[in-house]
């Protein structure tokens, strides 16, 4: 961090404390939130309302530093090891507590337990994590993908697996370029993607299988709406779609096309209909929402058409290691690995 960042105010990665609070949970919950998210810094000696650097009295610096280290290591589970340093700003000493993104998520306050003591960072605030977020953190901490986990309560037959293979093959052939050779999907392929897993010689469906086939064992819903004006104050139309993943994409895509403006462009004597938003961009946005949403979160994908824009909202926080800044630099991280592989095959 540099001096400008000290004065820039609290953010997703920065929190200020004038001094050490009497109750350590007033800052250890932020430590937990940083470890569960993208990391961050707690700066002691800065007012969080005025952003003024007041500093820590010289005779208290090392006592406070030790107290912070002890509180963090004693109260957080799994253990978090902070990087605590003393910094000088215009002759005043401040304490910088740096927390790295953790690999053993979820982190939580030991005395509160995992369900009540797990926190995450949202914008410049620390919030208690809900059940869906905790489950997602658990998958991240075990380096697993939710869509590759066995789908509890879902049974399959040889016929149902064959139907899925045939349907995916047909879709891939329909999306292929002319002359492109498409190999049929096999059970072995579904196993390699993680759509199926094998346990004790038996094939079991994963959550990806449920999503691809539209089975209600994993909730997969797209809600579409048209609004008058540029806010959600007045509904014009609403639709809800359920079913196999590729059907959701097509239904939502066609819904948007029906409800956006269609213009005309002339090329010589030929007339071409032109949508106000490129159809390829619309389809890509909807595909990304279906493939990369959090299926642990039971809320729905929202597709909203306004007079001046199209908004597509996908449930779930950004995957571990992903930030808006890194996305701008071209970094991407796959949340649902099995779905991504299946959709890549289908084109």
């Amino acid at each position: 961090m540099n001096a400008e960042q000290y004065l820039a105010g609290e953010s997703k990665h920065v929190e200020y404390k004038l001094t050490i609070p009497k109750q350590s949970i007033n800052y250890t919950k932020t430590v937990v939130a940083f470890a569960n998210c993208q990391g961050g810094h707690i700066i002691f000696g800065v007012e969080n309302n005025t952003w003024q650097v007041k500093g820590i009295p010289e005779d208290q610096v090392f006592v406070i530093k030790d107290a912070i280290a002890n509180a963090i290591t004693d109260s957080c589970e799994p253990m978090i090891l902070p990087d605590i340093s003393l910094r000088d700003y215009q002759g005043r000493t401040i304490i910088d507590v740096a927390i790295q993104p953790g690999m053993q998520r979820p982190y939580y306050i030991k005395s509160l337990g995992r369900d009540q003591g797990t926190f995450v960072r949202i914008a410049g605030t620390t919030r208690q994590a809900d059940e869906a977020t905790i489950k997602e953190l658990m998958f991240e901490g075990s380096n697993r993908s939710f869509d590759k986990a066995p789908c509890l309560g879902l049974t399959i037959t040889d016929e149902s697996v064959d139907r899925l293979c045939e349907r995916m093959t047909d879709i891939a052939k329909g999306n292929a370029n002319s002359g492109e050779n498409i190999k049929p999907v096999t059970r072995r392929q579904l196993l390699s993607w993680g759509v199926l897993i094998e346990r004790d010689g038996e094939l079991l469906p994963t959550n990806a299988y449920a999503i691809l086939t539209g089975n209600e064992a994993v909730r997969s819903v797209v809600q579409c709406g048209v609004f008058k004006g540029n806010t959600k104050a007045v509904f014009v139309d609403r639709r809800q779609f359920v079913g196999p993943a590729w059907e959701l994409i097509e239904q939502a895509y066609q819904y948007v096309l029906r409800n956006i403006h269609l213009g005309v462009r002339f090329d010589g004597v030929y007339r071409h209909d032109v949508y106000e938003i490129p159809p390829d961009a619309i389809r890509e946005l909807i595909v990304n929402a279906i493939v990369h949403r959090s299926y642990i979160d039971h809320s729905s994908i929202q597709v909203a058409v306004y007079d001046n824009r199209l908004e597509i909202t996908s449930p779930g926080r950004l995957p571990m290691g992903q930030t808006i800044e890194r996305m701008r630099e071209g970094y991407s991280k796959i949340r649902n690995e099995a779905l991504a592989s299946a959709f890549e095959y289908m084109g």
Side-chain angles (χ1 to χ4, degrees):
M1 296 182 64
N2 54 41
E4 287 74 20
Q5 288 174 300
Y6 288 139
L7 301 177
E10 292 185 323
S11 68
K12 186 176 182 179
H13 303 288
V14 177
E15 179 154 320
Y16 296 151
K17 296 292 181 186
L18 181 58
T19 187
I20 184 170
K22 292 181 179 180
Q23 295 184 335
S24 63
I25 193 172
N26 289 331
Y27 63 90
T28 54
K29 65 182 183 181
T30 299
V31 170
V32 162
F34 284 150
N36 281 329
C37 296
Q38 307 302 326
H41 296 255
I42 303 178
I43 310 299
F44 291 86
V46 181
E47 283 188 337
N48 60 353
N49 294 324
T50 66
W51 306 349
Q52 291 185 358
V53 178
K54 299 293 187 177
I56 301 294
E58 292 298 325
D59 59 344
Q60 298 179 24
V61 167
F62 292 102
V63 174
I64 291 177
K65 180 181 177 183
D66 290 343
I68 293 170
N70 291 335
I72 293 174
T73 55
D74 291 344
S75 62
C76 301
E77 184 77 22
M79 182 181 289
I80 297 174
L81 300 177
D83 181 9
I84 305 177
S85 58
L86 305 180
R87 298 180 182 272
D88 178 85
Y89 180 78
Q90 296 182 351
R92 296 181 175 90
T93 300
I94 55 179
I95 300 176
D96 179 2
V97 180
I99 306 297
Q100 296 299 318
M103 302 301 293
Q104 296 178 278
R105 304 177 182 190
Y107 293 87
Y108 56 92
I109 302 299
K110 193 184 306 183
S111 62
L112 297 179
R114 188 178 65 191
D115 292 344
Q116 300 297 321
T118 302
F119 296 87
V120 293
R121 194 73 173 169
I122 300 176
T125 63
T126 296
R127 304 286 182 86
Q128 188 177 34
D130 58 17
E131 181 181 358
T133 301
I134 293 173
K135 287 182 178 179
E136 191 167 348
L137 289 169
M138 291 173 65
F139 274 96
E140 290 179 354
S142 59
N143 197 29
R144 293 183 298 155
S145 173
F146 171 78
D147 65 335
K148 287 186 174 182
C151 187
L152 302 179
L154 178 60
T155 58
I156 56 174
T157 64
D158 291 342
E159 291 76 14
S160 64
V161 174
D162 290 341
R163 284 197 300 271
L164 176 60
C165 291
E166 292 170 2
R167 183 65 179 128
M168 292 180 67
T169 301
D170 290 342
I171 293 173
K173 289 181 178 179
N175 290 330
N177 296 321
S178 178
E180 185 178 356
N181 182 31
I182 300 297
K183 295 182 179 179
V185 176
T186 63
R187 297 184 186 189
R188 184 181 297 276
Q189 189 68 67
L190 295 181
L191 280 166
S192 69
W193 289 337
V195 176
L196 297 175
I197 58 174
E198 188 172 3
R199 293 276 177 85
D200 300 324
E202 180 184 5
L203 288 182
L204 299 176
T206 64
N207 292 319
Y209 184 98
I211 296 165
L212 288 170
T213 57
N215 191 282
E216 61 183 13
V218 178
R219 190 174 190 273
S220 181
V221 178
V222 177
Q223 295 179 335
C224 299
V226 177
F227 301 90
K228 183 177 180 179
N230 302 328
T231 70
K232 289 186 176 180
V234 181
F235 257 116
V236 176
D237 184 67
R238 176 188 290 179
R239 293 288 188 275
Q240 178 169 294
F241 302 113
V242 296
W246 47 77
E247 290 184 10
L248 291 179
I249 292 170
E250 187 61 28
Q251 290 169 328
Y253 172 70
Q254 294 297 335
Y255 183 89
V256 173
L257 291 187
R258 290 194 301 270
N259 288 285
I260 61 175
H261 295 116
L262 181 63
V264 175
R265 176 174 57 83
F266 288 94
D267 184 7
V269 297
Y270 297 99
R271 167 183 169 145
H272 300 280
D273 292 332
V274 180
Y275 287 100
E276 59 180 330
I277 304 173
D280 286 347
I282 297 171
R283 182 180 291 274
E284 180 71 13
L285 289 170
I286 295 172
V287 169
N288 283 335
I290 296 290
V291 175
H292 299 299
R293 64 158 288 177
S294 169
Y295 285 93
I296 298 175
D297 188 327
H298 292 166
S299 55
S300 305
I301 291 172
Q302 305 285 332
V303 178
V305 180
Y306 300 91
D307 287 352
N308 66 343
R309 69 190 186 279
L310 167 67
E311 283 187 3
I312 299 177
T313 306
S314 185
R317 53 198 286 278
L318 289 175
M320 181 177 177
Q322 182 70 291
T323 64
I324 298 297
E325 293 75 18
R326 298 187 74 181
M327 290 168 65
R328 292 193 180 105
E329 296 170 356
Y331 173 83
S332 65
K333 183 177 178 64
I334 298 174
R335 186 197 302 275
N336 300 304
E337 297 173 355
L339 288 180
S341 296
F343 272 80
E344 182 180 14
Y345 164 81
M346 291 187 291

